[in-house]
Amino acid sequence: MCGIAGYIGKNLIKKDSLLKTLHLMKRRGPDFNNNKSFEFNNDKININLLHSRLSIIDLDKRSNQPFSIYPYTLIFNGEIYNYQELKKILIKKGVKFKTTSDTEVLLQMYINYGDNFFNYLEGMWSFAIWDEYKKRLLISRDRFGEKPLYFYSNNKGFFFGSEIRYISQLSSNEFNINCNKISNYIFQGFKGVNKTNETYFKEVFKFPSSSYCYLD
């Protein structure tokens, strides 16, 4: 289990908010955590990618995230089950690897196959890839929604994270309780929890499973 969080928009997220968010994320990933920031369009747009790592595949620090192969940077929570098979395909294409992680394989698949790389992936994930070349952020969640991913947007930008409290800390927002969601859970039980992408907070939504989006 790892944790991811991020932001793209007009605001400049304060260093203190980034550090507090990383501290919250240690519960999901105690082995390493870090943040990478980017800016473009004459500094009018800012991007922050945060990650906390629970080391499972390739325990070496070389696989720490955010993981970059210029001009691409990835934050990833999950596991690509067929990464070894995909790695063999990439090696035949001439790709050289620096790690033994599924993280590097995932990013190399995006680099080499673009949008079509989803057709090759088997696994569970929530991830974000900042494409510095195309100036766009790709966000995705696995087919069955095994890995959590939430989002909140306002007129200043788009926030996302593995837990809602990461989003609250990054956005400096205290969200309003969604009483209808609580009521539905009380009367319908667990079977009513996933009928919509609403959460227990009015402004925050679950990123849909089996979906991806580009923010540019």
Side-chain angles (χ1 to χ4, degrees), residues 180-196 200:
N180 287 335
K181 181 75 173 179
I182 296 173
S183 175
N184 288 339
Y185 176 70
I186 291 172
F187 287 101
Q188 298 180 23
F190 185 75
K191 66 180 181 180
V193 170
N194 295 313
K195 284 188 175 180
T196 71
Y200 294 105

Side-chain angles (χ1 to χ4, degrees), residues 83-95:
Y83 80 97
Q84 292 182 331
E85 290 85 353
L86 298 178
K87 187 173 184 177
K88 291 177 182 177
I89 294 172
L90 290 165
I91 289 173
K92 287 182 180 179
K93 290 174 66 70
V95 176

Side-chain angles (χ1 to χ4, degrees), residues 72-87:
Y72 312 97
T73 298
L74 164 71
I75 51 173
F76 164 50
N77 171 32
E79 183 178 349
I80 304 303
Y81 302 144
N82 62 334
Y83 80 97
Q84 292 182 331
E85 290 85 353
L86 298 178
K87 187 173 184 177

Side-chain angles (χ1 to χ4, degrees), residues 1-5 22 24-34 50-59 63-66 74-79 101-103 124-127 146-150 161-163 166:
M1 180 174 69
C2 297
I4 69 169
L22 287 172
L24 289 174
M25 294 170 69
K26 281 186 177 181
R27 186 180 68 85
R28 294 186 66 90
D31 296 320
F32 181 82
N33 58 28
N34 199 13
L50 296 81
H51 187 269
S52 60
R53 184 185 182 196
L54 176 64
S55 302
I56 297 176
I57 300 176
D58 190 0
L59 306 185
S63 293
N64 288 341
Q65 301 179 46
L74 164 71
I75 51 173
F76 164 50
N77 171 32
E79 183 178 349
S101 68
D102 56 347
T103 301
M124 55 180 179
W125 67 77
S126 59
F127 66 73
E146 292 182 72
K147 288 300 178 182
L149 189 60
Y150 303 92
S162 300
E163 296 185 18
Y166 306 164

Side-chain angles (χ1 to χ4, degrees), residues 5-11 13 46-48 156-160 170:
Y7 168 76
I8 180 170
K10 300 175 183 178
N11 282 355
I13 305 297
N46 297 283
I47 300 97
N48 295 97
K156 294 295 184 180
F158 185 95
F159 300 83
F160 63 94
L170 271 182

